[in-house]
PDB file of all heavy atoms in Angstrom:
ATOM      1  N   ILE X   4      97.401 120.442  18.432  1.00 85.00           N
ATOM      2  CA  ILE X   4      98.040 121.684  18.872  1.00 85.00           C
ATOM      3  C   ILE X   4      99.406 121.378  19.460  1.00 85.00           C
ATOM      4  O   ILE X   4     100.378 122.111  19.248  1.00 85.00           O
ATOM      5  CB  ILE X   4      97.169 122.384  19.926  1.00 85.00           C
ATOM      6  CG1 ILE X   4      95.849 122.804  19.299  1.00 85.00           C
ATOM      7  CG2 ILE X   4      97.892 123.563  20.535  1.00 85.00           C
ATOM      8  CD1 ILE X   4      94.841 123.381  20.246  1.00 85.00           C
ATOM      9  N   TYR X   5      99.461 120.259  20.219  1.00 88.00           N
ATOM     10  CA  TYR X   5     100.707 119.961  20.929  1.00 88.00           C
ATOM     11  C   TYR X   5     101.584 118.972  20.189  1.00 88.00           C
ATOM     12  O   TYR X   5     102.486 118.369  20.757  1.00 88.00           O
ATOM     13  CB  TYR X   5     100.407 119.425  22.339  1.00 88.00           C
ATOM     14  CG  TYR X   5      99.793 120.442  23.259  1.00 88.00           C
ATOM     15  CD1 TYR X   5      98.606 120.162  23.944  1.00 88.00           C
ATOM     16  CD2 TYR X   5     100.376 121.703  23.427  1.00 88.00           C
ATOM     17  CE1 TYR X   5      98.042 121.109  24.784  1.00 88.00           C
ATOM     18  CE2 TYR X   5      99.802 122.647  24.264  1.00 88.00           C
ATOM     19  CZ  TYR X   5      98.638 122.343  24.961  1.00 88.00           C
ATOM     20  OH  TYR X   5      98.066 123.276  25.799  1.00 88.00           O
ATOM     21  N   GLN X   6     101.308 118.805  18.877  1.00 90.00           N
ATOM     22  CA  GLN X   6     102.129 117.917  18.068  1.00 90.00           C
ATOM     23  C   GLN X   6     103.460 118.598  17.826  1.00 90.00           C
ATOM     24  O   GLN X   6     103.531 119.674  17.201  1.00 90.00           O
ATOM     25  CB  GLN X   6     101.431 117.628  16.736  1.00 90.00           C
ATOM     26  CG  GLN X   6     102.223 116.773  15.769  1.00 90.00           C
ATOM     27  CD  GLN X   6     102.343 115.339  16.255  1.00 90.00           C
ATOM     28  OE1 GLN X   6     101.385 114.785  16.800  1.00 90.00           O
ATOM     29  NE2 GLN X   6     103.482 114.752  16.083  1.00 90.00           N
ATOM     30  N   LEU X   7     104.565 118.004  18.324  1.00 90.00           N
ATOM     31  CA  LEU X   7     105.874 118.642  18.199  1.00 90.00           C
ATOM     32  C   LEU X   7     106.446 118.384  16.809  1.00 90.00           C
ATOM     33  O   LEU X   7     106.346 117.273  16.278  1.00 90.00           O
ATOM     34  CB  LEU X   7     106.835 118.095  19.272  1.00 90.00           C
ATOM     35  CG  LEU X   7     106.410 118.359  20.731  1.00 90.00           C
ATOM     36  CD1 LEU X   7     107.331 117.640  21.701  1.00 90.00           C
ATOM     37  CD2 LEU X   7     106.425 119.854  21.024  1.00 90.00           C
ATOM     38  N   ASN X   8     107.081 119.397  16.274  1.00 89.00           N
ATOM     39  CA  ASN X   8     107.678 119.304  14.935  1.00 89.00           C
ATOM     40  C   ASN X   8     108.957 118.468  15.036  1.00 89.00           C
ATOM     41  O   ASN X   8     109.899 118.808  15.771  1.00 89.00           O
ATOM     42  CB  ASN X   8     108.010 120.725  14.445  1.00 89.00           C
ATOM     43  CG  ASN X   8     108.626 120.710  13.079  1.00 89.00           C
ATOM     44  OD1 ASN X   8     108.901 119.658  12.483  1.00 89.00           O
ATOM     45  ND2 ASN X   8     108.821 121.886  12.502  1.00 89.00           N
ATOM     46  N   GLU X   9     108.974 117.402  14.300  1.00 90.00           N
ATOM     47  CA  GLU X   9     110.105 116.465  14.420  1.00 90.00           C
ATOM     48  C   GLU X   9     111.421 117.054  13.953  1.00 90.00           C
ATOM     49  O   GLU X   9     112.493 116.619  14.377  1.00 90.00           O
ATOM     50  CB  GLU X   9     109.807 115.178  13.640  1.00 90.00           C
ATOM     51  CG  GLU X   9     108.723 114.363  14.339  1.00 90.00           C
ATOM     52  CD  GLU X   9     108.673 112.929  13.880  1.00 90.00           C
ATOM     53  OE1 GLU X   9     109.329 112.583  12.865  1.00 90.00           O
ATOM     54  OE2 GLU X   9     107.975 112.140  14.523  1.00 90.00           O
ATOM     55  N   MET X  10     111.337 118.075  13.097  1.00 91.00           N
ATOM     56  CA  MET X  10     112.567 118.677  12.577  1.00 91.00           C
ATOM     57  C   MET X  10     113.106 119.745  13.516  1.00 91.00           C
ATOM     58  O   MET X  10     114.223 120.220  13.349  1.00 91.00           O
ATOM     59  CB  MET X  10     112.306 119.312  11.198  1.00 91.00           C
ATOM     60  CG  MET X  10     111.856 118.300  10.162  1.00 91.00           C
ATOM     61  SD  MET X  10     112.936 116.838  10.086  1.00 91.00           S
ATOM     62  CE  MET X  10     114.398 117.562   9.436  1.00 91.00           C
ATOM     63  N   ARG X  11     112.290 120.107  14.456  1.00 91.00           N
ATOM     64  CA  ARG X  11     112.681 121.170  15.396  1.00 91.00           C
ATOM     65  C   ARG X  11     113.857 120.656  16.232  1.00 91.00           C
ATOM     66  O   ARG X  11     113.877 119.506  16.670  1.00 91.00           O
ATOM     67  CB  ARG X  11     111.469 121.497  16.273  1.00 91.00           C
ATOM     68  CG  ARG X  11     111.707 122.302  17.495  1.00 91.00           C
ATOM     69  CD  ARG X  11     111.732 123.814  17.228  1.00 91.00           C
ATOM     70  NE  ARG X  11     111.393 124.555  18.446  1.00 91.00           N
ATOM     71  CZ  ARG X  11     112.190 124.714  19.505  1.00 91.00           C
ATOM     72  NH1 ARG X  11     113.397 124.168  19.521  1.00 91.00           N
ATOM     73  NH2 ARG X  11     111.760 125.384  20.549  1.00 91.00           N
ATOM     74  N   LYS X  12     114.869 121.586  16.487  1.00 93.00           N
ATOM     75  CA  LYS X  12     116.032 121.188  17.289  1.00 93.00           C
ATOM     76  C   LYS X  12     115.722 121.397  18.768  1.00 93.00           C
ATOM     77  O   LYS X  12     115.079 122.386  19.146  1.00 93.00           O
ATOM     78  CB  LYS X  12     117.242 122.056  16.926  1.00 93.00           C
ATOM     79  CG  LYS X  12     117.675 121.900  15.485  1.00 93.00           C
ATOM     80  CD  LYS X  12     118.906 121.017  15.394  1.00 93.00           C
ATOM     81  CE  LYS X  12     119.401 121.019  13.960  1.00 93.00           C
ATOM     82  NZ  LYS X  12     119.346 119.670  13.409  1.00 93.00           N
ATOM     83  N   VAL X  13     116.215 120.550  19.577  1.00 94.00           N
ATOM     84  CA  VAL X  13     116.087 120.685  21.032  1.00 94.00           C
ATOM     85  C   VAL X  13     117.394 121.263  21.545  1.00 94.00           C
ATOM     86  O   VAL X  13     118.466 120.770  21.201  1.00 94.00           O
ATOM     87  CB  VAL X  13     115.847 119.294  21.659  1.00 94.00           C
ATOM     88  CG1 VAL X  13     115.993 119.321  23.148  1.00 94.00           C
ATOM     89  CG2 VAL X  13     114.486 118.769  21.262  1.00 94.00           C
ATOM     90  N   GLY X  14     117.270 122.335  22.372  1.00 93.00           N
ATOM     91  CA  GLY X  14     118.487 123.032  22.783  1.00 93.00           C
ATOM     92  C   GLY X  14     118.736 123.006  24.276  1.00 93.00           C
ATOM     93  O   GLY X  14     117.874 122.646  25.080  1.00 93.00           O
ATOM     94  N   THR X  15     119.971 123.416  24.641  1.00 94.00           N
ATOM     95  CA  THR X  15     120.359 123.464  26.053  1.00 94.00           C
ATOM     96  C   THR X  15     121.459 124.478  26.232  1.00 94.00           C
ATOM     97  O   THR X  15     122.172 124.833  25.288  1.00 94.00           O
ATOM     98  CB  THR X  15     120.847 122.090  26.538  1.00 94.00           C
ATOM     99  OG1 THR X  15     121.232 122.199  27.928  1.00 94.00           O
ATOM    100  CG2 THR X  15     122.047 121.619  25.761  1.00 94.00           C
ATOM    101  N   LYS X  16     121.668 124.905  27.513  1.00 93.00           N
ATOM    102  CA  LYS X  16     122.809 125.768  27.834  1.00 93.00           C
ATOM    103  C   LYS X  16     124.016 124.935  28.304  1.00 93.00           C
ATOM    104  O   LYS X  16     125.104 125.428  28.457  1.00 93.00           O
ATOM    105  CB  LYS X  16     122.429 126.684  29.009  1.00 93.00           C
ATOM    106  CG  LYS X  16     121.373 127.709  28.669  1.00 93.00           C
ATOM    107  CD  LYS X  16     121.207 128.725  29.784  1.00 93.00           C
ATOM    108  CE  LYS X  16     120.367 128.193  30.905  1.00 93.00           C
ATOM    109  NZ  LYS X  16     119.983 129.195  31.902  1.00 93.00           N
ATOM    110  N   TYR X  17     123.715 123.599  28.504  1.00 94.00           N
ATOM    111  CA  TYR X  17     124.706 122.788  29.212  1.00 94.00           C
ATOM    112  C   TYR X  17     125.182 121.604  28.382  1.00 94.00           C
ATOM    113  O   TYR X  17     125.263 120.470  28.843  1.00 94.00           O
ATOM    114  CB  TYR X  17     124.123 122.280  30.541  1.00 94.00           C
ATOM    115  CG  TYR X  17     123.642 123.404  31.421  1.00 94.00           C
ATOM    116  CD1 TYR X  17     122.291 123.548  31.726  1.00 94.00           C
ATOM    117  CD2 TYR X  17     124.543 124.332  31.936  1.00 94.00           C
ATOM    118  CE1 TYR X  17     121.853 124.580  32.549  1.00 94.00           C
ATOM    119  CE2 TYR X  17     124.105 125.367  32.751  1.00 94.00           C
ATOM    120  CZ  TYR X  17     122.758 125.491  33.058  1.00 94.00           C
ATOM    121  OH  TYR X  17     122.329 126.513  33.855  1.00 94.00           O
ATOM    122  N   ILE X  18     125.506 121.896  27.113  1.00 93.00           N
ATOM    123  CA  ILE X  18     125.888 120.804  26.205  1.00 93.00           C
ATOM    124  C   ILE X  18     127.139 120.080  26.724  1.00 93.00           C
ATOM    125  O   ILE X  18     127.306 118.862  26.524  1.00 93.00           O
ATOM    126  CB  ILE X  18     126.104 121.324  24.751  1.00 93.00           C
ATOM    127  CG1 ILE X  18     126.168 120.141  23.755  1.00 93.00           C
ATOM    128  CG2 ILE X  18     127.332 122.179  24.658  1.00 93.00           C
ATOM    129  CD1 ILE X  18     124.915 119.375  23.620  1.00 93.00           C
ATOM    130  N   HIS X  19     128.018 120.805  27.442  1.00 93.00           N
ATOM    131  CA  HIS X  19     129.257 120.192  27.944  1.00 93.00           C
ATOM    132  C   HIS X  19     128.940 119.067  28.914  1.00 93.00           C
ATOM    133  O   HIS X  19     129.611 118.042  28.966  1.00 93.00           O
ATOM    134  CB  HIS X  19     130.156 121.242  28.629  1.00 93.00           C
ATOM    135  CG  HIS X  19     129.522 121.872  29.845  1.00 93.00           C
ATOM    136  ND1 HIS X  19     128.551 122.848  29.742  1.00 93.00           N
ATOM    137  CD2 HIS X  19     129.706 121.638  31.169  1.00 93.00           C
ATOM    138  CE1 HIS X  19     128.174 123.210  30.964  1.00 93.00           C
ATOM    139  NE2 HIS X  19     128.846 122.499  31.851  1.00 93.00           N
ATOM    140  N   PHE X  20     127.872 119.253  29.717  1.00 93.00           N
ATOM    141  CA  PHE X  20     127.489 118.222  30.682  1.00 93.00           C
ATOM    142  C   PHE X  20     126.935 116.992  29.974  1.00 93.00           C
ATOM    143  O   PHE X  20     127.246 115.861  30.349  1.00 93.00           O
ATOM    144  CB  PHE X  20     126.469 118.796  31.668  1.00 93.00           C
ATOM    145  CG  PHE X  20     126.175 117.861  32.823  1.00 93.00           C
ATOM    146  CD1 PHE X  20     127.091 117.665  33.848  1.00 93.00           C
ATOM    147  CD2 PHE X  20     124.959 117.159  32.871  1.00 93.00           C
ATOM    148  CE1 PHE X  20     126.816 116.800  34.900  1.00 93.00           C
ATOM    149  CE2 PHE X  20     124.690 116.314  33.932  1.00 93.00           C
ATOM    150  CZ  PHE X  20     125.615 116.119  34.940  1.00 93.00           C
ATOM    151  N   TYR X  21     126.152 117.256  28.935  1.00 94.00           N
ATOM    152  CA  TYR X  21     125.616 116.137  28.162  1.00 94.00           C
ATOM    153  C   TYR X  21     126.761 115.315  27.587  1.00 94.00           C
ATOM    154  O   TYR X  21     126.754 114.078  27.623  1.00 94.00           O
ATOM    155  CB  TYR X  21     124.739 116.637  27.016  1.00 94.00           C
ATOM    156  CG  TYR X  21     123.333 117.011  27.439  1.00 94.00           C
ATOM    157  CD1 TYR X  21     123.019 118.304  27.853  1.00 94.00           C
ATOM    158  CD2 TYR X  21     122.307 116.063  27.376  1.00 94.00           C
ATOM    159  CE1 TYR X  21     121.729 118.636  28.222  1.00 94.00           C
ATOM    160  CE2 TYR X  21     121.001 116.408  27.735  1.00 94.00           C
ATOM    161  CZ  TYR X  21     120.738 117.694  28.168  1.00 94.00           C
ATOM    162  OH  TYR X  21     119.444 118.025  28.535  1.00 94.00           O
ATOM    163  N   ARG X  22     127.756 116.035  27.061  1.00 92.00           N
ATOM    164  CA  ARG X  22     128.889 115.325  26.428  1.00 92.00           C
ATOM    165  C   ARG X  22     129.653 114.530  27.481  1.00 92.00           C
ATOM    166  O   ARG X  22     130.067 113.388  27.234  1.00 92.00           O
ATOM    167  CB  ARG X  22     129.824 116.328  25.757  1.00 92.00           C
ATOM    168  CG  ARG X  22     129.262 116.896  24.497  1.00 92.00           C
ATOM    169  CD  ARG X  22     130.338 117.568  23.653  1.00 92.00           C
ATOM    170  NE  ARG X  22     129.683 118.201  22.508  1.00 92.00           N
ATOM    171  CZ  ARG X  22     129.664 119.512  22.278  1.00 92.00           C
ATOM    172  NH1 ARG X  22     130.274 120.352  23.088  1.00 92.00           N
ATOM    173  NH2 ARG X  22     129.024 119.994  21.223  1.00 92.00           N
ATOM    174  N   ARG X  23     129.820 115.133  28.646  1.00 90.00           N
ATOM    175  CA  ARG X  23     130.564 114.441  29.721  1.00 90.00           C
ATOM    176  C   ARG X  23     129.854 113.153  30.136  1.00 90.00           C
ATOM    177  O   ARG X  23     130.495 112.106  30.327  1.00 90.00           O
ATOM    178  CB  ARG X  23     130.656 115.380  30.910  1.00 90.00           C
ATOM    179  CG  ARG X  23     131.762 114.991  31.870  1.00 90.00           C
ATOM    180  CD  ARG X  23     131.958 116.092  32.853  1.00 90.00           C
ATOM    181  NE  ARG X  23     132.902 115.701  33.876  1.00 90.00           N
ATOM    182  CZ  ARG X  23     133.179 116.445  34.933  1.00 90.00           C
ATOM    183  NH1 ARG X  23     132.592 117.587  35.120  1.00 90.00           N
ATOM    184  NH2 ARG X  23     134.058 116.032  35.804  1.00 90.00           N
ATOM    185  N   MET X  24     128.517 113.230  30.263  1.00 89.00           N
ATOM    186  CA  MET X  24     127.750 112.038  30.653  1.00 89.00           C
ATOM    187  C   MET X  24     127.856 110.951  29.598  1.00 89.00           C
ATOM    188  O   MET X  24     127.889 109.770  29.895  1.00 89.00           O
ATOM    189  CB  MET X  24     126.284 112.376  30.909  1.00 89.00           C
ATOM    190  CG  MET X  24     126.061 113.256  32.122  1.00 89.00           C
ATOM    191  SD  MET X  24     126.641 112.512  33.670  1.00 89.00           S
ATOM    192  CE  MET X  24     128.176 113.357  33.934  1.00 89.00           C
ATOM    193  N   LYS X  25     127.931 111.417  28.342  1.00 89.00           N
ATOM    194  CA  LYS X  25     128.046 110.445  27.250  1.00 89.00           C
ATOM    195  C   LYS X  25     129.444 109.829  27.264  1.00 89.00           C
ATOM    196  O   LYS X  25     129.606 108.621  27.097  1.00 89.00           O
ATOM    197  CB  LYS X  25     127.782 111.138  25.924  1.00 89.00           C
ATOM    198  CG  LYS X  25     127.459 110.160  24.804  1.00 89.00           C
ATOM    199  CD  LYS X  25     126.995 110.842  23.555  1.00 89.00           C
ATOM    200  CE  LYS X  25     126.935 109.749  22.466  1.00 89.00           C
ATOM    201  NZ  LYS X  25     126.999 110.299  21.145  1.00 89.00           N
ATOM    202  N   ASP X  26     130.455 110.671  27.513  1.00 88.00           N
ATOM    203  CA  ASP X  26     131.834 110.155  27.575  1.00 88.00           C
ATOM    204  C   ASP X  26     131.994 109.150  28.710  1.00 88.00           C
ATOM    205  O   ASP X  26     132.723 108.165  28.579  1.00 88.00           O
ATOM    206  CB  ASP X  26     132.835 111.307  27.799  1.00 88.00           C
ATOM    207  CG  ASP X  26     132.958 112.187  26.569  1.00 88.00           C
ATOM    208  OD1 ASP X  26     132.555 111.730  25.483  1.00 88.00           O
ATOM    209  OD2 ASP X  26     133.437 113.337  26.705  1.00 88.00           O
ATOM    210  N   GLN X  27     131.306 109.413  29.804  1.00 85.00           N
ATOM    211  CA  GLN X  27     131.421 108.496  30.941  1.00 85.00           C
ATOM    212  C   GLN X  27     130.478 107.308  30.819  1.00 85.00           C
ATOM    213  O   GLN X  27     130.331 106.529  31.761  1.00 85.00           O
ATOM    214  CB  GLN X  27     131.131 109.245  32.251  1.00 85.00           C
ATOM    215  CG  GLN X  27     132.192 110.277  32.543  1.00 85.00           C
ATOM    216  CD  GLN X  27     132.222 110.707  33.993  1.00 85.00           C
ATOM    217  OE1 GLN X  27     131.424 110.262  34.791  1.00 85.00           O
ATOM    218  NE2 GLN X  27     133.148 111.573  34.327  1.00 85.00           N
ATOM    219  N   LYS X  28     129.824 107.210  29.671  1.00 86.00           N
ATOM    220  CA  LYS X  28     128.965 106.081  29.332  1.00 86.00           C
ATOM    221  C   LYS X  28     127.789 105.925  30.286  1.00 86.00           C
ATOM    222  O   LYS X  28     127.237 104.843  30.444  1.00 86.00           O
ATOM    223  CB  LYS X  28     129.774 104.780  29.284  1.00 86.00           C
ATOM    224  CG  LYS X  28     130.834 104.784  28.214  1.00 86.00           C
ATOM    225  CD  LYS X  28     131.398 103.410  27.994  1.00 86.00           C
ATOM    226  CE  LYS X  28     132.549 103.302  27.040  1.00 86.00           C
ATOM    227  NZ  LYS X  28     132.897 104.405  26.203  1.00 86.00           N
ATOM    228  N   ILE X  29     127.412 107.044  30.922  1.00 87.00           N
ATOM    229  CA  ILE X  29     126.219 106.970  31.755  1.00 87.00           C
ATOM    230  C   ILE X  29     125.000 106.938  30.830  1.00 87.00           C
ATOM    231  O   ILE X  29     123.962 106.345  31.146  1.00 87.00           O
ATOM    232  CB  ILE X  29     126.190 108.155  32.737  1.00 87.00           C
ATOM    233  CG1 ILE X  29     127.316 107.921  33.759  1.00 87.00           C
ATOM    234  CG2 ILE X  29     124.847 108.301  33.419  1.00 87.00           C
ATOM    235  CD1 ILE X  29     127.511 109.043  34.729  1.00 87.00           C
ATOM    236  N   ILE X  30     125.135 107.593  29.677  1.00 89.00           N
ATOM    237  CA  ILE X  30     124.069 107.537  28.667  1.00 89.00           C
ATOM    238  C   ILE X  30     124.692 107.115  27.332  1.00 89.00           C
ATOM    239  O   ILE X  30     125.877 107.323  27.100  1.00 89.00           O
ATOM    240  CB  ILE X  30     123.368 108.898  28.488  1.00 89.00           C
ATOM    241  CG1 ILE X  30     124.423 110.004  28.299  1.00 89.00           C
ATOM    242  CG2 ILE X  30     122.481 109.210  29.693  1.00 89.00           C
ATOM    243  CD1 ILE X  30     123.843 111.354  27.936  1.00 89.00           C
TER     244      ILE X  30
END
Side-chain angles (χ1 to χ4, degrees):
Chain X
I4 296 174
Y5 293 127
Q6 177 70 39
L7 298 173
N8 180 356
E9 289 197 349
M10 299 310 292
R11 166 84 156 74
K12 298 257 187 242
V13 168
T15 179
K16 292 190 280 190
Y17 303 114
I18 194 65
H19 62 283
F20 189 74
Y21 279 90
R22 286 196 185 116
R23 199 169 174 186
M24 293 300 102
K25 198 171 171 202
D26 289 342
Q27 293 199 358
K28 297 192 185 348
I29 290 175
I30 49 173

